[in-house]
Amino acid sequence: MTQNELAELSFTVSGRVSRPCAEVYEAVADPEQLSRYFTTGGARGRLEPGNDVTWDFHDYPGAFPVRVLEADPPRRIVIEWDGEATKNDRGTTTTTFEFEPLDGDTRTLVTITESSWRPTADGAKNAFGNCEGWTGMLAAMKAWVEHGINLREGFYK
């Protein structure tokens, strides 16, 4: 492989939420809150290692098992879930949520990184689709946590 050859596809998206870090972390880790703005079919299980977690989307058929690899409140959550055209042998991607307090912990920088897909047309299609999804999740989370507005309802279907 040459120095400029692409080995895998991954992406990072981020946004700022005008709430303290612990509150924003809970908006992701707590299934009841996550179900109010992201998982339109509901979330089951708190994002903690060893928990049985499922995310369901009425606007995207199917419930998805989510494996929690790491949870370090209120700063970091790492999950793994199934994907297509992925780089590893398990057929999964890894998603990392990082929560950084800003402005005396009155705001939070949320950064989501997901990897890794094969550098193929199918890999790119799936990576771009998930990038769109996580960007939408960040916008929906901001609207919900700051204003109680559900942006996702009716957005995709």
Side-chain angles (χ1 to χ4, degrees):
M1 179 165 62
T2 66
Q3 187 176 25
N4 292 330
E5 191 173 326
L6 186 61
E8 72 176 36
L9 300 174
S10 65
F11 62 84
T12 298
V13 296
S14 61
R16 287 154 186 81
V17 179
S18 295
R19 291 290 185 267
C21 194
E23 187 177 330
V24 178
Y25 179 95
E26 282 301 311
V28 177
D30 177 13
E32 187 175 317
Q33 290 189 57
L34 194 66
S35 297
R36 292 184 179 160
Y37 68 89
F38 183 54
T39 55
T40 54
R44 190 185 85 226
R46 183 173 172 79
L47 292 181
E48 292 178 347
N51 279 1
D52 182 21
V53 178
T54 304
W55 289 353
D56 195 355
F57 300 90
H58 284 159
D59 50 11
Y60 190 88
F64 299 89
V66 175
R67 290 166 296 287
V68 183
L69 304 179
E70 182 183 333
D72 182 20
R75 299 299 296 272
R76 182 177 165 92
I77 299 170
V78 182
I79 64 170
E80 178 181 69
W81 61 343
D82 296 342
E84 295 181 16
T86 63
K87 186 79 171 156
N88 69 40
D89 295 336
R90 293 181 315 280
T92 61
T93 65
T94 301
T95 305
T96 302
F97 300 83
E98 296 178 296
F99 306 87
E100 179 184 339
L102 302 173
D103 303 328
D105 199 23
T106 60
R107 297 178 13 163
T108 302
L109 173 62
V110 182
T111 302
I112 303 172
T113 301
E114 189 169 35
S115 62
S116 63
W117 293 268
R118 289 180 285 196
T120 63
D122 285 342
K125 177 182 175 192
N126 290 309
F128 293 153
N130 281 19
C131 185
E132 174 188 4
W134 290 124
T135 302
M137 184 263 204
L138 282 174
M141 178 172 49
K142 180 176 179 67
W144 176 257
V145 171
E146 291 181 13
H147 307 287
I149 297 168
N150 184 339
L151 287 183
R152 186 168 177 128
E153 189 64 40
F155 189 80
Y156 290 103
K157 201 170 186 182

